[in-house]
């Protein structure tokens, strides 16, 4: 069971090779991009439902990429998620304004790997988020 539910068919993971498998386990339609210049060509090729960014890996480039995604209507139906080591209210607020729909934190991944009940709870929240987001888009 993964943290991104099966309703999302195609996932583009923008992260280095070493990334928590718990977030993408069970998906055979995950394309991992570890070179930042390959993000937009991969989006056009894969046409993902979700893009999951590793915040630490992206660094200051994340803001530029999010602004580009937000400014082009071609990317409007793509759900944006962000994996971070820890919560930071000010930065998370900015990223939300720039289009991030959901955050995953290191502590969430650690809790999930220790508890199946926690995994189901996180998946339920994510399901509700995706359903609400899709309803809002339609």
């Amino acid at each position: 069971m993964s943290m991104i539910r099966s309703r999302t068919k195609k996932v583009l993971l923008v992260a280095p090779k070493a990334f928590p498998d718990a977030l993408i386990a069970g998906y055979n339609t995950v394309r991992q991009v570890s070179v930042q210049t390959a993000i937009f060509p991969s989006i056009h090729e894969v046409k993902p439902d979700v893009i999951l960014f590793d915040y630490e890996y992206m660094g200051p480039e994340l803001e530029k990429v999010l602004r580009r995604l937000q400014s082009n209507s071609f990317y409007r139906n793509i759900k944006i998620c962000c994996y971070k080591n820890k919560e930071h209210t000010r930065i998370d607020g900015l990223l939300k304004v720039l289009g991030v729909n959901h955050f995953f934190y290191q502590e969430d991944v650690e809790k999930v790997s220790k508890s199946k009940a926690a995994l189901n709870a996180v998946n339920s929240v994510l399901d509700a988020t995706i359903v609400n987001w899709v309803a809002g888009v339609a």
Side-chain angles (χ1 to χ4, degrees):
M1 193 59 89
S2 69
M3 290 183 70
I4 302 172
R5 294 294 283 184
S6 58
R7 285 195 184 116
T8 55
K9 295 171 181 65
K10 294 181 263 178
V11 178
L12 181 65
L13 172 62
V14 182
K17 294 295 182 197
F19 190 79
D21 289 335
L23 289 174
I24 57 171
Y27 285 89
N28 54 6
T29 56
V30 174
R31 156 93 50 96
Q32 183 165 3
V33 174
S34 56
V35 179
Q36 293 178 4
T37 56
I39 294 171
F40 288 95
S42 295
I43 290 172
H44 287 276
E45 184 181 330
V46 175
K47 295 179 179 52
D49 300 304
V50 174
I51 302 174
L52 176 57
F53 290 102
D54 182 330
Y55 177 79
E56 305 304 323
Y57 174 69
M58 289 296 294
E61 290 300 307
L62 182 58
E63 184 177 338
K64 294 176 193 169
V65 170
L66 290 174
R67 287 183 189 281
R68 183 172 170 187
L69 288 169
Q70 191 176 46
S71 67
N72 188 329
S73 62
F74 177 81
Y75 308 118
R76 189 155 293 143
N77 292 328
I78 300 173
K79 183 166 180 58
I80 307 295
C81 297
C82 188
Y83 171 76
K84 294 181 69 192
N85 287 337
K86 61 184 177 183
E87 189 172 2
H88 189 284
T89 309
R90 191 173 58 88
I91 292 171
D92 293 358
L94 172 65
L95 294 175
K96 235 179 175 53
V97 167
L98 293 175
V100 174
N101 303 103
H102 193 78
F103 292 93
F104 299 103
Y105 300 102
Q106 178 63 37
E107 64 186 35
D108 297 334
V109 174
E110 289 170 0
K111 286 179 194 171
V112 164
S113 53
K114 292 178 185 173
S115 165
K116 187 159 176 107
L119 176 64
N120 290 334
V122 170
N123 283 333
S124 298
V125 168
L126 201 59
D127 265 354
T129 302
I130 291 170
V131 167
N132 291 338
W133 175 76
V134 169
V137 168

